[in-house]
Structures are given as structure tokens and as C-alpha cells.
Amino acid sequence: MENRPLDAAAVKATRIAVVGGGISGLAAAHRLRELAPTTEIVLYEAAERLGGVLETRRQDGFLAEQSADTFITNVPWGVDLCRRLGIESELLPTNDALRKAYVVCRGRLIEVPEGFLLMAPGKAWPIVQTPILSWRGKLRLAWEYFVAPRKDPSDESLKAFVVRRLGIEAYERLVQPLIGGIYTADPEKLSVAATMKQFVEMERQHGGLIRGMQQRKAREGNADSGARYSMFVAPRGGMSALVEAIAARLPSESIRLNSPVRSVSRQEDGVWQVATNSECETYDGVVVAAPAPAAAVLLHSQDEPLAAELEQIEYAGCAIVLLGVDRRQIAQPIAGFGFVVPEVEQRRILAASFASYKFAGRAPDESVLIRVFVGGACHPEMNELPDEQLRQIVLEELADLIGLSGELQTFSVRRWSAQMPQYHVGHLERVERIEALAAKHAGLTLAGNAYHGVGVPTCIHCGEQAAERLLEQLALGQVER
């Protein structure tokens, strides 16, 4: 990525506002600072801290992530930003010795078959051997090789795609829990094209998933296994270290915390007005990096059709229960990073992640940090249960699944209400409409996890692209007074 500042004379902006201090907004502000260092940037954040859902807390000797605890490296944007921030050397790889994922199957934890990549089998023998699928389910999965590609180019749900290609049992026992662990979503509504485009491309290009994985293996020499944890990293000090590193590159006076924005509108003279509860200020351009529902409110007076489209993007939430225990309290330990729970198991948790197995330094010696996910789009009522009730539910489930017993060394609950955008069928078309409507407003760009992906690197990329588009508009004189 080029870091050369733009010609100061070419950039007609003197002030740019960024609304939203999550990772997308931070990435946008940082990119603006890199490319146009003489431009004044003001970042508005409604909360009392930066980072959005990214937050690391130290509690009772544990380093406890409150949401995402890693980011993927098969796309460059996260690592590239860390390199430019000077913290690349602080990135830790996950523990290869425990690079496995498990799935609950009829009350037991079974390893995800080696080579099974989210929704595509890369190796035959592990599928043959796994007790997760019945022989009927295995034969149906193998039949995928002969299933003709879908000719209809329209979007379809993730469930419809997987059942059509792999059968209902592979969907219920493997794909639904693995995908659910990423999106906390309902796969019956989730768009396969918006969330798992690579598998749609496999079908189109190679005729199917097994054929596609064979071609991939031929190119790369082997197939990835499990949940691809080897491709994940995190800062030594936790995800908040990334947030802090970006904030340190911005002038302190440019960051306005506890500053919820009420509206964003373009005035007759071409400048943009950003209104908070206490003041109105004008800017040459604005990056709106707020969640889609909030962005809809901000832009409603400027463009009702745009706001209406933004309002249609639904969100779901979940609760994360964090537990610290002595490792000797786990009677049935697993040699892996965690497990996911299929809906057909009818349990009260979605997944559990052993954070201290992934990275050193997340728990005191001889202790284990476990993060348990509850609720999601399919069980929203679970998100709002009292802490003590969630504690009891999680302890009962972990007692049954891994033999956990005894007193906890630490306990907390982090609730995220309506923070995960749901990429329902038709999402890509809606985003196209949103971007077309936004493009009509010179000096306005959008960023965030509501559009092109929910992963940290994708959010970084989205924010940086929004910053670059805005500067290009200003440099080309597209913002007319």
C-alpha cells in the first residue's frame, strides 16, 4: 500500500470528520492522516473509549478479550496496518500444537475432520472415519461430486446451498455450527454469496466443492484443516493494542469521545455539517463509519432512500461469558482451541473458545481462560439473561461437556446487543444500492462491518478505502462549493 502523502495543493479539504471510533473509523482516520497529513481530522465517538467491539480487559491476572481475539492473515490488510504502525513484531501466531477445533456430537466433543474447510471437504479419509456423520450422511456428502452446479444466478441462503450440495446431515452437524460460530446468525437467512463467496465460486468454476478442493490442493500442495487457526494472529497485549497504536498516531485533540452525532448533512454552500447534542461544525468531507442503523439516523435528513436501505440491514447480538479456572478443574480436557455446538444438539450455548490455549500470556500459569458464547440470532432471549443465570447455564454445560467443576478464578459477562450485521439473502444487491446512493453525495463515504465483511482486516480495508475515495473526490475537485 502506498504511503506517499498526496500533493497538499491537490487536496482541497482543510477539515474532514470521521463518525465512529470502531476499527473501521480508526483505520479511516489513520489513512487520512497518512495520505493528507496537513488536513485537520476530527473523529467522533459516542462511547467513552475507542475500538467499538474490540476491547481487551485485564481481570484477576487474565487477559480477557471482550469480542474478537484474533484476526486472519490470508488477506493482507490487518498485518499491513500493523506493519505501518510499527507493531508487527508484537503479533503472536496461534499455538500450532493445539490447532484443532471440535464439534459437539450427541453429547460428546469430536474433532472436526481434518481438511474440512468450513463447508467443503478437502480429504476423504477423515470424513470416512469421523463419527460425526452417519454412513448415510457420509454417502450423501460424497455424492456432492456428482451434484450438478446451480444454473440460477440469483442469491440463495447458506443453508439452501449446503443442503443442496452436501445434504442435510452435513449441514446440521458440521456446517451450521462452524458458520454459526463466525456470524452468530441464522443460516436459513444468511446469504451464501455475501458470507462464503469462495464456495459459490468453487461451484461455478469447478462444478462443485469437492472438485474445487481438489483443484486447490493441486495448486497449494495440501488442504487447510479444521477452522484454519494457523492463519490467525493477535497482538501480544490483546486486540486493544491495535486500537491504542492507531490512536497514538492521531493528534489527541482530533479524538472526541462521549460525542454522539445527531445528524450529518450537506449545506447549500457544499460543506458538510456534523451536529452533536452540543454543537454543529462544518467539514469538507465526512466518513460515516457508524453501524448501519445509526448511519441511517444520521443521514435521514440528507437522503431518505439511502437511510431506508441502511435500515434494512439487520443486526444480532450475543453474550460472551468469560471464565478463568485451574486447569485441574477440567476432567476431560481437549487438545484444541475450542468447540462449536450444532443447533440439533439443543444446548444452551453456541461455542466455547479456550483463549489461553491459543496464545501464551492470556492466563496465569496452570490456569485456563474460557470464553463461552451464548444467544445469537437464533436465541436472542439468551443475551438478556441475568449474569448469575448465565453463569449457572454455562457451568452446567461445561460440566457435562468437559467435566468442569470447582470454584472460578474469574468470571464476567460481556453483552453485545445488535452489534453483528446479518448478511441476509440479497445483501450484496442492497450494498450496491447503498453505495450508488451514497456516491451521489460528493464528500461523503461509508465504512464499517455492515457492507463487505465482518472480520477485522476487512473492516480495516473498508475504512482505508473510504478514506482514499474521499481524498480522491476532494483532490479531483468533485466537491463543489
Side-chain angles (χ1 to χ4, degrees), residues 325-456:
V325 301
D326 188 298
R327 65 176 63 249
R328 291 167 295 188
Q329 294 175 239
I330 302 175
Q332 303 158 35
I334 63 170
F337 292 155
F339 61 84
V340 293
V341 184
E343 278 289 312
V344 293
E345 290 288 316
Q346 297 184 338
R347 289 189 172 269
R348 295 168 291 174
I349 62 176
L350 300 173
S353 171
F354 294 78
S356 52
Y357 289 4
K358 293 181 183 179
F359 301 107
R362 267 41 180 178
D365 292 343
E366 303 304 318
S367 295
V368 179
L369 176 61
I370 309 173
R371 304 194 314 148
V372 183
F373 297 80
V374 177
C378 295
H379 303 283
E381 72 285 353
M382 297 288 290
N383 301 350
E384 307 305 325
L385 293 178
D387 286 6
E388 281 307 309
Q389 192 170 348
L390 285 177
R391 175 186 177 125
Q392 186 64 31
I393 287 171
V394 166
L395 289 178
E396 289 173 359
E397 294 287 345
L398 293 184
D400 188 44
L401 293 169
I402 61 173
L404 179 65
S405 62
E407 294 298 316
L408 301 178
Q409 295 177 346
T410 192
F411 166 81
S412 64
V413 177
R414 182 61 176 207
R415 303 172 197 277
W416 295 109
S417 176
Q419 291 293 323
M420 179 64 78
Q422 304 293 284
Y423 290 6
H424 288 167
V425 172
H427 179 78
L428 294 180
E429 291 80 3
R430 171 163 289 113
V431 170
E432 284 184 4
R433 295 193 296 272
I434 288 171
E435 292 179 339
L437 289 167
K440 296 178 180 179
H441 301 284
L444 171 69
T445 57
L446 303 176
N449 65 0
Y451 310 111
H452 297 289
V454 299
V456 170

Side-chain angles (χ1 to χ4, degrees), residues 4 37-38 52 80-81 96 106 110 117 129 182 185 216 218 229 256 258 270 293 305 342 356 442 452 454 476:
R4 178 178 57 83
T38 62
D80 182 64
L81 177 57
D96 277 345
R106 299 169 185 87
I110 307 295
L117 178 61
Q129 289 184 307
I182 298 172
R216 178 180 178 146
Y229 287 108
R256 301 187 184 180
N258 299 304
S356 52
H452 297 289
V454 299
L476 292 172

Side-chain angles (χ1 to χ4, degrees), residues 247-326:
R249 294 293 186 95
L250 303 175
S252 58
E253 65 272 14
S254 71
I255 299 173
R256 301 187 184 180
L257 301 177
N258 299 304
S259 299
V261 173
R262 291 189 293 106
S263 67
V264 173
S265 58
R266 193 176 189 218
Q267 307 303 294
E268 290 184 3
D269 59 358
V271 300
W272 284 86
Q273 184 181 85
V274 175
T276 66
N277 290 329
S278 59
E279 60 187 5
C280 292
E281 294 197 46
T282 58
Y283 298 89
D284 298 283
V286 182
V287 177
V288 175
V297 173
L298 298 179
L299 296 168
H300 186 268
S301 63
Q302 177 67 33
D303 189 327
E304 289 189 19
L306 173 58
E309 290 285 1
L310 289 166
E311 287 173 350
Q312 293 302 309
I313 299 178
E314 297 182 29
Y315 279 66
C318 74
I320 303 177
V321 180
L322 297 111
L323 311 171
V325 301
D326 188 298

